[in-house]
Amino acid sequence: MRKEIIINSSPHEIRIAMLEDGELVEVLVESADAKRIVGNVYKGKVTSVKPGLQAAFVDIGLERAGFLHASDLEHDDSEEEGPEPATPSQGDRRGGPPGRRRQRHVPDIGNVLKVGDQILVQVTKEPISTKGPRLTADISLPGRYLVMMPKGRHIGVSRKIEDRRERVRLKQMLQAYRPAEGAFIIRTAATAVTEEGIKQDVDYLSGLFDKLYRSGQDVQAPVVVHEDVGMVVALIRDIFKEDTARLVIDDHEDFLRLVNYVKMFAPELRGRIEEYKGDLPIFDQFEIEAEIKNTLDKRVWMKKGGYLIIEQTEALVSIDVNTGRFVGKRNQEDTILQTNMLAAREVARQLRLRDVGGIIVIDFIDMESESNKKRVFNELRLHLHRDRARHKVFQVSGLGLVEMSRQRVRPSLLSQLSDDCPYCTGTGKVLSMETMSNRIERLIQRIAVVTHESRLQIQANPVLALYLLEERPEQFRELSRSFDLELNVLDDATLHVEEFRIVSLTSGKDLIAEFEKKARGGR
């Protein structure tokens, strides 16, 4: 598989696209006004302790206080090896599916923290929707080959390094250069690294922690004491490896910055960094711009005419698979199988591309054959294996659904690129003109009885006003006759399509407010 990284850098926004065999699989966006904070270390002040939640809220100087669970207070100093901790670009290392996990002692948070305490914490998850950032007091600092956790003494090796001799070699090298304090995890990127590479990473991380610790001693909370490297450098550190064919960037200064970084930490990759100098914008040249635009659509077309419908909500993401225009050439089961196999690959790609997380429910087309169900399930798992975010997939349920969870570190791409519609406020729906007309009719009847007003004006959005005048004139003539009312309609472009006013032509009063006041007084 050919992997490429394409970077579009501007003063207002940095966009990073990752391609696999020419197909877009991931997009990372960072604007100048909303820089990522995952990986940053803060000196925070405890503002609230909730023993019932086993959690505390910590002010780190952001709009919302961070959430610190008791399980994130203490480190595990076991020698048993676990999975490689996630780097800041991947997020909370405890957010993944359960596997061979170490037993963690969770203290009573009320015995450890109290309101007003100052504590060093690290952000592991960006603020999402109404939730503040997720925090940990078990700080980890990633380098190119190692991750250092200042609290602890153990050495671990990423499980993705499977060769036993290589694992032993790396441990022995690290043991020779490690400082007296601090735990280390050897990352997958360390495979075949030299002693000099390990020593360089140890020195860099040890110096970084010393600087961070000293900074934290001299300041008052809330304040940032360490900012993780920018998104571009973090990408180089965490993703740009031997299996990446090239990295192309369109900004000259960022190009020089990357070259200098790579010369220092991974000189063997220098020849794979290119500066883009074409006339077309870089994302147009690599046909990425149109793909990003498509990520905002609910419908995703697949080869052969099938399609997915992807709905993102606060609680979960639902994905529905449809045959669409694909009718197949053999029997129905074969057509459904082909569609589901294509969908399994596309679902895995779309989850990475849209960066959606949390609970995900996939409704594949029903199949009769159990062996076909297993084929589709295995195809999904195979393609999810490329996903850097932690995930867990469950077998097909009795309802024919595949349920899975995916690590959510930052807001989805849809959330980053869009705002809720000011008309529907994110629901995707507004009340129909018929519903609004009936609502106005009922309110006029009540106002006429309670306020005894006889001359009324309906002020409404132009679309609603036109509907009332052209589609419902008889309805309002009958209303006028029944209650002896004078009614007229005035369009007001400042009003929302679901908003209207009913005003007295005699006094100019807002009769809706008047009616509600008298109705309350009558109870």
Side-chain angles (χ1 to χ4, degrees):
M1 183 194 313
R2 179 181 172 83
K3 295 184 180 180
E4 298 172 285
I5 299 172
I6 313 300
I7 303 177
N8 170 222
S9 181
S10 74
H12 305 292
E13 185 180 60
I14 295 174
R15 299 185 299 171
I16 299 174
M18 281 165 271
L19 310 179
E20 292 178 356
D21 291 333
E23 188 173 54
L24 183 65
V25 294
E26 286 188 48
V27 175
L28 301 174
V29 179
E30 183 177 278
S31 68
D33 297 328
K35 289 186 178 293
R36 68 175 197 157
I37 61 171
V38 167
N40 288 359
V41 178
Y42 295 82
K43 188 172 187 179
K45 180 180 287 187
V46 177
T47 58
S48 177
V49 178
K50 305 292 185 184
L53 296 175
Q54 270 288 68
F57 291 90
V58 183
D59 178 12
I60 59 174
L62 302 180
E63 183 179 350
R64 291 189 291 271
F67 178 86
L68 176 65
H69 191 264
S71 62
D72 291 320
L73 283 173
E74 290 191 353
H75 65 282
D76 184 350
D77 203 18
S78 163
E79 288 292 332
E80 185 180 341
E81 293 171 10
E84 176 182 342
T87 61
S89 64
Q90 295 167 295
D92 188 351
R93 59 181 176 274
R94 300 177 185 85
R100 182 171 55 145
R101 302 291 291 274
R102 297 191 287 261
Q103 293 296 317
R104 296 179 59 85
H105 168 65
V106 179
D108 185 337
I109 198 161
N111 295 333
V112 181
L113 293 176
K114 62 180 184 296
V115 173
D117 283 353
Q118 298 194 18
I119 181 174
L120 280 180
V121 290
Q122 185 173 37
V123 177
T124 60
K125 184 184 288 188
E126 298 275 359
I128 298 175
S129 185
T130 58
K131 299 176 182 177
R134 179 72 182 258
L135 307 175
T136 179
D138 189 7
I139 294 167
S140 62
L141 303 173
R144 179 158 180 81
Y145 305 116
L146 306 171
V147 176
M148 179 184 181
M149 289 158 285
K151 299 178 182 178
R153 285 288 302 147
H154 69 276
I155 292 178
V157 184
S158 169
R159 289 182 190 163
K160 293 183 180 179
I161 302 177
E162 298 178 351
D163 184 272
R164 183 175 179 80
R165 285 181 295 182
E166 179 64 4
R167 296 171 71 89
V168 171
R169 183 185 77 89
L170 291 169
K171 270 193 166 186
Q172 288 175 343
M173 282 197 303
L174 178 56
Q175 193 68 53
Y177 293 111
R178 64 177 297 181
E181 298 295 331
F184 287 87
I185 298 291
I186 299 170
R187 304 181 65 183
T188 309
T191 304
V193 72
T194 63
E195 284 192 34
E196 181 59 30
I198 292 292
K199 181 179 183 301
Q200 193 175 51
D201 238 25
V202 168
D203 292 343
Y204 166 71
L205 293 174
S206 299
L208 181 61
F209 175 68
D210 288 343
K211 180 180 177 182
L212 180 157
Y213 183 77
R214 287 195 303 272
S215 298
Q217 296 295 306
D218 300 334
V219 293
Q220 289 295 311
V223 65
V224 59
V225 297
H226 166 71
E227 288 189 77
D228 193 35
V229 294
M231 186 170 67
V232 174
V233 174
L235 185 86
I236 302 300
R237 181 190 65 198
D238 301 333
I239 303 173
F240 190 34
K241 302 174 185 176
E242 289 295 333
D243 62 351
T244 304
R246 64 171 175 166
L247 182 151
V248 188
I249 185 166
D250 62 355
D251 183 84
H252 181 65
E253 289 185 6
D254 278 341
F255 167 75
L256 295 178
R257 194 175 296 117
L258 287 182
V259 168
N260 290 334
Y261 179 86
V262 168
K263 280 181 179 178
M264 183 181 302
F265 290 99
E268 70 279 4
L269 298 178
R270 165 61 188 92
R272 303 186 188 189
I273 301 178
E274 303 174 16
E275 182 181 3
Y276 178 73
K277 296 182 178 179
D279 294 328
L280 272 177
I282 189 170
F283 271 24
D284 288 317
Q285 177 66 36
F286 287 89
E287 300 180 354
I288 295 170
E289 203 68 67
E291 279 275 2
I292 294 177
K293 185 175 182 294
N294 291 339
T295 62
L296 302 179
D297 294 338
K298 293 181 180 180
R299 188 184 300 261
V300 180
W301 288 99
M302 302 183 294
K303 295 176 182 177
K304 299 187 177 182
Y307 64 90
L308 309 176
I309 297 293
I310 302 176
E311 295 274 3
Q312 299 183 42
T313 70
E314 182 76 17
L316 57 80
V317 177
S318 67
I319 303 177
D320 184 40
V321 181
N322 300 273
T323 54
R325 299 189 296 262
F326 181 46
V327 295
K329 295 183 178 179
R330 299 179 188 174
N331 54 51
Q332 183 180 15
E333 182 76 2
D334 183 66
T335 300
I336 292 173
L337 174 62
Q338 290 186 57
T339 303
N340 281 342
M341 291 291 280
L342 288 171
R345 299 165 204 154
E346 188 61 29
V347 165
R349 185 176 83 97
Q350 289 294 328
L351 293 180
R352 296 171 65 190
L353 182 56
R354 297 173 184 239
D355 200 11
V356 295
I359 299 171
I360 300 162
V361 178
I362 308 164
D363 186 9
F364 287 104
I365 304 170
D366 290 341
M367 294 175 288
E368 297 292 334
S369 168
E370 290 298 322
S371 63
N372 286 346
K373 291 179 183 179
K374 288 181 180 178
R375 283 183 63 185
V376 171
F377 179 77
N378 290 335
E379 186 75 4
L380 176 64
R381 290 190 63 182
L382 175 66
H383 287 270
L384 283 172
H385 184 68
R386 302 172 184 172
D387 195 346
R388 294 185 299 125
R390 293 205 177 106
H391 56 270
K392 186 173 182 63
V393 189
F394 298 88
Q395 293 285 350
V396 181
S397 72
L399 294 175
L401 306 174
V402 172
E403 300 166 11
M404 63 174 289
S405 62
R406 185 175 185 271
Q407 179 186 22
R408 179 160 54 186
V409 179
R410 62 185 74 83
S412 68
L413 190 63
L414 177 65
S415 299
Q416 288 182 280
L417 299 182
S418 63
D419 291 324
D420 283 346
C421 168
Y423 256 69
C424 70
T425 63
T427 66
K429 301 285 185 180
V430 292
L431 293 176
S432 68
M433 293 297 100
E434 182 180 10
T435 298
M436 292 301 302
S437 179
N438 292 337
R439 181 175 288 184
I440 291 171
E441 179 183 5
R442 289 191 295 269
L443 194 51
I444 288 174
Q445 291 172 353
R446 294 152 73 190
I447 285 173
V449 171
V450 173
T451 67
H452 305 293
E453 291 280 350
S454 59
R455 300 178 64 236
L456 310 181
Q457 182 179 75
I458 304 165
Q459 299 174 0
N461 178 277
V463 176
L464 177 57
L466 185 64
Y467 180 85
L468 296 175
L469 292 171
E470 293 192 351
E471 302 296 330
R472 291 295 183 96
E474 186 57 40
Q475 174 186 1
F476 285 96
R477 277 197 291 269
E478 179 62 31
L479 200 60
S480 296
R481 285 194 295 269
S482 298
F483 291 90
D484 193 21
L485 296 174
E486 177 187 339
L487 288 175
N488 69 39
V489 178
L490 177 69
D491 64 274
D492 185 344
T494 65
L495 294 177
H496 186 282
V497 72
E498 292 182 352
E499 185 181 4
F500 61 87
R501 288 191 289 262
I502 299 176
V503 177
S504 168
L505 287 172
T506 304
S507 65
K509 289 182 179 179
D510 180 343
L511 294 181
I512 296 177
E514 187 79 9
F515 161 73
E516 290 175 346
K517 180 179 177 182
K518 288 191 176 183
R520 285 194 299 270
R523 283 198 293 269

